[in-house]
Every structure is written in structure tokens, then in C-alpha cells.
């Protein structure tokens, strides 16, 4: 059969239900094959958005997300999306068209060396030069993307490969001699960890995105309750334990809760699970958790000892390791530590100055949480992201979807599209800044076209807010290129222009009603919340400071 | 500290770019890199000389291991036979020619090309030996040097696979 048809058949075999993408000459053959398929294709308006949507789909479901793009500009437009997925270990497969084999290397029309370009930001990538390798490649790609530490895989398909004739024998097995993820933790190391845990007086669990990726949330909660130990998460770990759980400390790091940061700093044992100790999480490394022994559980051996020295390394899948670890642990109350942490929680709650005149962005998020605590939340990047992380108390894994590693503005809205495509019955809300929203605003057309009824809450401060905050605090209020001077811009009209529903909200008293209305409308809705322009995110650990060196605001 | 790392890789297009790219991206400094086929079909062996402290070397090893086409990574710095090959084109006058040949003999090097006013000498050995040889040749006037970079293999019957 035609290779293009074999590709689509292979995707069906892999259980693919949705593909996001944009066609073009080099991949037209594959699109032609897609025409007769049961797989639903969603035509985005930008390839970057297609990849973010596939990524959002993957993060919401745990399945591999798929995106298509044509050669050259189509392919290069995917790069930000791929890098975003790479930094957050999200499993996606991106297929790009490529010029015919005979033209490769000749700077042909719409040629780009996309495998070269994406080498540093993919878990693996392929340029298929032999149609007989095609099916094996697809099989491998899905396997690599979804297993071990997940990540993006790109397959570049020269046009003449897609038009070739192949036999459809989709391989059952794969042979990758160099790829053998280790799932079971070493029993001796696990025992050692258990001994340290039993001896610890001030144990804290630090959970990252890996816990969510390995579906280990239940085990995590059980471990926390069994020890018992408080649980702080990274931004990516939000939802690993319900943030309404008495042992939850919320998230740590630059804008994490004070009590999470203090607890980690004063712990005598840190049980780090599926976390990579990014600088936004640890603060100044040399002063990170100075008294703590550290146990690190991670499926990727390269993460262990990369940024922080580790006492007990355990390489393995978080779920399996925790199941084993729990069997070695018995409950022991640690009254003094508990009193101390509970004291911090009481003394330093997240708080902001309430206002009856100006809309506080935090207030908007609190209301979203009150009205739709089970909504899937995506975020953009900046202040909006940090407020969402602080004030939306996530109760389930895969409920909070954010670009943690790359920090990609423009991620949240298409990611919401992806999540909503996977779960049309759920409320999906993108919490956005005005700057970020404009970076992929064209996807409103896609939402309207396909009835993808996501809600976007724009916290509109007419600034690139987070950068403005840094300029205010560290650069003498020199607001260089952060003021988005567009008082005349109407987000409401932009939404309407695309055929979606737009709203503008200027008073705190209108926030709740507007949200209620938006959640009831069966259409994509964008609400422009005109928020207090100069509101800052607190608490804040300045870049390069230690976690306990927190700046806070008087309230 | 300098380390010599042997890497077995699947012989697929782009592998070298992947490995070299990894070093640049992560800020590891490659001193030399030599690649060639092995006794097994479809498997190549790279020998990479890299300097760094223990932590750097550990990261190098782990990051290399993460590459899908990398089958095996091994630090062969200790207890191994290390060789490099160099071709040295040296100026030779009728007066100096005999001297150069004599030195080459002492180093068990071979004259592989003779021209009217120059010789090409092929020398193999560990790095020190080659450096010493090149050093001695300097007095005659070196026109060109090319070195392969180091290859290494651990002593004894155990093999990398
Ligand atoms: C693609 C991209 N470009 C630039 C940045 C740098 N950056 C980080 S936060 C930020 C401001 C975000 O502004 P906005 O979306 O309005 O959100 P706010 O901080 O005001 O909530 C910028 C420009 C980024 N993270 N991503």
C-alpha cells in the first residue's frame, strides 16, 4: 500500500484518536491518507499551537499526543512546542514532511534540516530515508516517547518516502539495544531509604512532575500519611497530592508558599521524587536544605546528582519504588516538627491586599477555584502562572497544566485546546496574561471551528507583568519595553471577531457573575479581567537567594 | 582530570552529531574524539577524551547513556592500552634527512613518503610518545601534522559489549 496510508494505519494501531496540525506540500500525501481515516484531525492556525495542543492532550490524558506539520517553515514552527514538551518530559510524536530525498541538502524550496534543529530538544528523532524502515520507526517513536522518562520524538518524512509502496506489517516488537529504562528500584537502596526515613525527625517529601507522569499520586499520598511527612511539590508536581490535604504544603521555590520553603530548608531528611531540582525550585543551591540528608527517586539516572548531591539515589519508576518503599515504613508521630510546620502555616498563609475598587488577579483565581474546583487549568507564563499556582488548589494529578521548564508564553491556550479535545465534558480554563494570550490568540479560530469550548481568563494588566515586577523591584522601576500600551485594544472584540464570546470585567463585584456566565455558555469564551495593573506576586525568593530569604508584602 | 571514555553506538546516520552536540550543549569539553567500526556489524566505537572532575564525568556518562543509539559507555582511563597515530610532514635537507630517519627508527616510526625537501613520518604510540616525537621534529621544521585522536582498550580478557 501507499506509505502514507501505512502511516495512518500505524497511528490507528497506536490508538491515536486526535491529531493537531497544518498540511503543506511535503506532507500532503499523508493528509490525503488521513482523509479516509477515523482519526480526527484538528486544523490549528499555527504549528506551534498544534504541538502545544498535542502536549496539552498528552499531559491531560497521559497518552502520547500527535502533531503534524509540513517541511521547512511548518517544521521550524514546531520547535518551541517541541522544546516545551522536552523540558517538561511530555510524551508527544511530531511528524513533519520533508522535501524528496534527492533534494535534501540542496536548499530546496521549503527545506529545513529539522532533525538537526531539534536534536537538542527531542528525546529522539528520525529522518526516514528508506520506506522499509518507516513502520519500525513509527513503532519505536511511540515507544520511546511514552516510556521511561517521557519526551518528544520527531519523525521527518521525505515526500518520496510517503508516496512509496510498502507492505503493511506493523512490527509487534522493537529492538533498541541502547534503550532500557529501569523501572524497579534497587531493593538495598530502598531499604536504606526506609531506614533513613524511620530515623528522621523532620522529614519532608519533595514531589515533582515525575510523580504525575508515573501515575504515582496515590502511592505518594499513602507514603506521606504513613511516615507521616509533609509534602511540598515543584510547580510541575502540583496535583501529585491534593493541595487540600492536611499534609500538603503547596509548591516551593521562587514564588512558592513560605511554609513549604521553610519546611524544606529546616528538614533533616528530604525525600525527593520525580523532581529535577531546577534553579527555580531550589533557590541558591549551596544553601538548599542545609541539614537534610537527601533521598532521590527518579527514572532518569542523569537527574540524580546533577544539581544537588544525593545521599541515597534510587533509579526507578516512582510508582513501583513507592509501592516497595511503603512496605518498609511504619507510622511514627513527630509532634515537635508537626507543631512547627503547623505554626508556619498559620503565620504565613498566602495572602493579598483585598480591594473593592480594583480587581485583584488573585481574587479572580480564587473565584474560579470556588466555582470549578475540578476544572483542568492551563496557564500562560508570568505573574498569571504564579498566581494560578498559588491560588488554584489542585486536587488531582493532570489537572494543572503549565510550561514549567521552558516557561513558554503562548502555551496555555493551545494546551487548553488539547486538554479540552481529550475531555470535552470537563471545564478547561486557561489562566492567561494579556501578553501571553496574544502569542497564540489565532487559535480562537480553531476553537470556534471545532466547538472546542475552552474558557480563557485573561488577567489583563496591560503589562508584561512579571518582567515589569522584576524591573520594579530590581531595576529602579525602569519599565523598559514592558508596557503593552493598548488601552484601546478590546479583547472582547477580538474574541467576537473570531466568532467566540468575549466579555470585559472591570469591577470586583462583577467577577463571580461573569465567570458563572462563562462556565454556562456552550462556546469558547474569553473574559478580559481588567486587573490592578501594578499588583506583584508575593512571596518571592529573588533569583540567586536561598529559599528562606523571602521578600513579602505587608498586607 | 582527563578521562578516556569508550562508547559503543549503533551505526546510524546522525549518531556522531548527536554525541558531539550533547557535549557542546551541556558544556562538556571534548579533547579528542575518534570513531571507527567494531567487530560487530552495525556497531561503532567512539573513544572520547574529556576533562573534568568526577561529577562532570559522571554526568557525561549518564547523558551519553540517555542517547537512544548509545549501547554502552565505559570509562577506560585506568589499566588500558592507549594509542594514537600521527602523520608528520617534516622538512628534510640532504644533511638532515639521515638524522630524521634515525630518530624515526628510535621511535619505531615509519617513513611513508619521501619528497625532494620533505618526509612524511607515521608514528603511533601513547600521547606522550607522539608529543615527544613531534617536539624533536620541530628543529627540522614541521610543515604539517595530523593526529587521529586517542583510541583505548582495557587490558585483560574482559571486553566492552
Ligand atoms: C515566548 C516567551 N517570550 C518571552 C518570555 C519572557 N517573559 C516571561 S514572563 C513575561 C511577561 C508575561 O506577560 P503576560 O503574559 O502579560 O503575563 P503577566 O506576567 O502580566 O501575568 C515575559 C515576557 C517568555 N517567558 N516566553
Amino acid at each position: 500500500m501507499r506509505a502514507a496510508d501505512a502511516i495512518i494505519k500505524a497511528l490507528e494501531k497506536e490508538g491515536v484518536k486526535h491529531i493537531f496540525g497544518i498540511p503543506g506540500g511535503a506532507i500532503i500525501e499523508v493528509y490525503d491518507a488521513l482523509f479516509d481515516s477515523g482519526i480526527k484531525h484538528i486544523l490549528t492556525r499555527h504549528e506551534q499551537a498544534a504541538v502545544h495542543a498535542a502536549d496539552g492532550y498528552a499531559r491531560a490524558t497521559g497518552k502520547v499526543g500527535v502533531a503534524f506539520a509540513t517541511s521547512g517553515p511548518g517544521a521550524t514552527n514546531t520547535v518551541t512546542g517541541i522544546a516545551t514538551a522536552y523540558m517538561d518530559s511530555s510524551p508527544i510524536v511530531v511528524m513533519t514532511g520533508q522535501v524528496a530525498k534527492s533534494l535534501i541538502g540542496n536548499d530546496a524550496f521549503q527545506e529545513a534540516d529539522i532533525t538537526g534543529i531539534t536534536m537538542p530538544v527531542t528525546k529522539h528523532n528520525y529522518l526516514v530515508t528508506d520506506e522499509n524502515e518507516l513502520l519500525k520507526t513509527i513503532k519505536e517513536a511511540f515507544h520511546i516517547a511514552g516510556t521511561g522518562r517521557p519526551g518528544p520524538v520527531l519523525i521527518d518524512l521525505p515526500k518520496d518516502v510517503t508516496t512509496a509502496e510498502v507492505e503493511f506489517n506493523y512490527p509487534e516488537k522493537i529492538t533498541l539495544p541502547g534503550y532500557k529504562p529501569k523501572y524497579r528500584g534497587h531493593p538495598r537502596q530502598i531499604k536504606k531509604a526506609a531506614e533513613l526515613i524511620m530515623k528522621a525527625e523532620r522529614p519532608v517529601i519533595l514531589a515533582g512532575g515525575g510523580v504525575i507522569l508515573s501515575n504515582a499520586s496515590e502511592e505518594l499520598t499513602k507514603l506521606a500519611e504513613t511516615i507521616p511527612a509533609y509534602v511540598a511539590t515543584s510547580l510541575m508536581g502540583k496535583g501529585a497530592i491534593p493541595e487540600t490535604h492536611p499534609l500538603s504544603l503547596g509548591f516551593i521555590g521562587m514564588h512558592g508558599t513560605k511554609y513549604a520553603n521553610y519546611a524544606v530548608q529546616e528538614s533533616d531528611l528530604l525525600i525527593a521524587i520525580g523532581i529535577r531540582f531546577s534553579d527555580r525550585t531550589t533557590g541558591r543551591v549551596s544553601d538548599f536544605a542545609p541539614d537534610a540528608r537527601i533521598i532521590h527517586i527518579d527514572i532518569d539516572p542523569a537527574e540524580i546528582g546533577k544539581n544537588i548531591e544525593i545521599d541515597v539515589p534510587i533509579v526507578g519508576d516512582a510508582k513501583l519504588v513507592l509501592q516497595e518503599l511503603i512496605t518498609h515504613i511504619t507510622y511514627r508521630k513527630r509532634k515537635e516538627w508537626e507543631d512547627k510546620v503547623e505554626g508556619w502555616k498559620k503565620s504565613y498563609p498566602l495572602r493579598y491586599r483585598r480591594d473593592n475598587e480594583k480587581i485583584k488577579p488573585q481574587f479572580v483565581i480564587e473565584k474560579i477555584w470556588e466555582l470549578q474546583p475540578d476544572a483542568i487549568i492551563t496557564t500562560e507564563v508570568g505573574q498569571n502562572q504564579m498566581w494560578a499556582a498559588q491560588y488554584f488548589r489542585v486536587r488531582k494529578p493532570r489537572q494543572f497544566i503549565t510550561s514549567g521548564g521552558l516557561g513558554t508564553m503562548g502555551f496555555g491556550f493551545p494546551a487548553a485546546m488539547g486538554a479540552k479535545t481529550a475531555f470535552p465534558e470537563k471545564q478547561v480554563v486557561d489562566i492567561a496574561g494579556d501578553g501571553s494570550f496574544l502569542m497564540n490568540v489565532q487559535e480562537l479560530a480553531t476553537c470556534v471551528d471545532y466547538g472546542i469550548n475552552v474558557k480563557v481568563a485573561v488577567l489583563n494588566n496591560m503589562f508584561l507583568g512579571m518582567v515589569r515586577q522584576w524591573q520594579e523591584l530590581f531595576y529602579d522601576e525602569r519599565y523598559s519595553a514592558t508596557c503593552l500600551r493598548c488601552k484601546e485594544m478590546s479583547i472582547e472584540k477580538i474574541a467576537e471577531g473570531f466568532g467566540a464570546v468575549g466579555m470585559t470585567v472591570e469591577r470586583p463585584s462583577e467577577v463571580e457573575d461573569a465567570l458563572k456566565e462563562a462556565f454556562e455558555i456552550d462556546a469558547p469564551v474569553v473574559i478580559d479581567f481588567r486587573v490592578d495593573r501594578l499588583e506583584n506576586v508575593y512571596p518571592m525568593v529573588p533569583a540567586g537567594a536561598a529559599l528562606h530569604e523571602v521578600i513579602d508584602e505587608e498586607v | 582530570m582527563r578521562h578516556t571514555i569508550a562508547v559503543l553506538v549503533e551505526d546510524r546516520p546522525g549518531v556522531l552529531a548527536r554525541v558531539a552536540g550533547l557535549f557542546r550543549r551541556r558544556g562538556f569539553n571534548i579533547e579528542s574524539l575518534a570513531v571507527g567500526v567494531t567487530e560487530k556489524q552495525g556497531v561503532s566505537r567512539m573513544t572520547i577524551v574529556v576533562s573534568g572532575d568526577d561529577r562532570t564525568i559522571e554526568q557525561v556518562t549518564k547523558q551519553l547513556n540517555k542517547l537512544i543509539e548509545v549501547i554502552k559507555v565505559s570509562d577506560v582511563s585506568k589499566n588500558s592500552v592507549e594509542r594514537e597515530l600521527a602523520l608528520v610532514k617534516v622538512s628534510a635537507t640532504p644533511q638532515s634527512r639521515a638524522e630524521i630517519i634515525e630518530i624515526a627508527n628510535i621511535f619505531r616510526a615509519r617513513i611513508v613518503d619521501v619528497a625532494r625537501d620533505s618526509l612524511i613520518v607515521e608514528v603511533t604510540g601513547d600521547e606522550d610518545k607522539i608529543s615527544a616525537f613531534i617536539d624533536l621534529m620541530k628543529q627540522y621544521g614541521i610543515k604539517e601534522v595530523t593526529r587521529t585522536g586517542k583510541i583505548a582498550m582495557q587490558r585483560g580478557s574482559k571486553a566492552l559489549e
Side-chain angles (χ1 to χ4, degrees), chain A residues 155-296:
Chain A
I155 307 176
D156 201 21
L157 299 162
K159 178 153 181 172
D160 47 348
V161 168
T162 65
T163 55
E165 282 294 312
V166 296
E167 247 179 76
F168 190 83
N169 35 20
Y170 199 56
E172 292 288 322
K173 278 216 187 87
I174 28 185
T175 38
L176 290 167
Y179 181 69
K180 295 193 183 71
K182 209 166 153 265
Y183 293 100
R184 294 228 161 259
H186 196 291
R188 194 152 17 96
Q189 293 296 88
I190 292 178
K191 275 225 181 81
K192 238 201 229 164
E195 279 161 24
L196 280 188
I197 291 172
M198 294 306 294
K199 273 193 266 170
E201 293 304 326
R202 305 186 303 281
V204 171
I205 296 174
L206 189 51
V211 175
I212 290 167
L213 289 168
S214 88
N215 299 314
S217 294
E218 238 175 80
E219 287 79 3
L220 172 74
T221 307
K222 189 155 171 233
L223 176 72
E225 289 167 351
T226 311
I227 296 177
Y230 287 96
V231 183
T233 71
S234 67
L235 183 64
M236 295 307 297
K238 264 179 76 73
I241 184 169
E243 292 188 294
T244 45
H245 193 290
L247 288 171
S248 166
L249 297 172
F251 79 116
I252 74 159
M254 186 171 273
H255 293 293
T257 65
K258 264 191 182 175
Y259 41 91
N261 284 346
Y262 288 169
V264 165
Q265 286 303 75
E266 296 211 5
S267 64
D268 67 348
L269 178 71
L270 210 54
I271 308 152
I273 313 168
I275 194 165
R276 63 190 177 85
F277 294 104
S278 122
D279 51 297
R280 283 291 188 271
T281 295
T282 60
R284 187 167 63 239
V285 168
S286 56
D287 287 313
F288 176 72
D291 303 331
R293 310 286 296 275
I294 303 182
I295 299 164
H296 192 185

Side-chain angles (χ1 to χ4, degrees), chain A residues 381-384 407-409 433-436 439 461 463-467:
Chain A
V381 169
Q383 294 181 315
N384 61 84
T408 308
M409 291 170 71
D434 46 327
S436 298
M439 285 204 180
N461 50 17
F463 272 118
L464 295 170
M466 186 57 97
V467 185

Side-chain angles (χ1 to χ4, degrees), chain A residues 125 178 300-302 304 306, chain B residues 18 25 55 59 62 66 70:
Chain A
N125 65 18
D300 181 355
I304 293 178
K306 187 179 80 180
Chain B
R18 248 182 249 286
R25 197 164 75 244
R55 265 187 71 173
Q59 261 301 302
K62 286 174 166 177
K66 271 176 78 163
V70 167

Side-chain angles (χ1 to χ4, degrees), chain A residues 303-369:
Chain A
E303 285 308 333
I304 293 178
K306 187 179 80 180
N307 298 334
I308 297 278
E309 260 184 68
I310 301 303
D311 298 286
V312 182
I314 304 176
V315 177
D317 175 60
K319 192 181 183 80
L320 296 178
V321 173
L322 293 190
Q323 280 170 354
E324 170 82 24
L325 182 60
I326 290 166
T327 62
H328 299 286
I329 287 167
T330 51
Y331 181 88
R332 175 160 75 79
K333 201 167 170 71
R334 294 159 175 90
K335 180 83 175 49
E336 223 174 290
W337 179 233
E338 191 183 312
D339 289 347
K340 197 159 192 188
V341 177
E342 291 302 327
W344 285 328
K345 279 193 181 176
K346 277 209 192 67
S347 311
Y348 309 114
L350 285 170
R351 69 225 159 111
Y352 62 93
R353 213 177 277 141
R354 313 249 156 191
D355 196 309
N356 290 326
E357 297 300 314
K358 291 180 186 158
I359 300 177
K360 291 290 182 179
Q362 301 93 328
F363 175 72
V364 176
I365 295 164
E366 275 181 340
K367 284 291 160 204
I368 295 173
W369 187 75

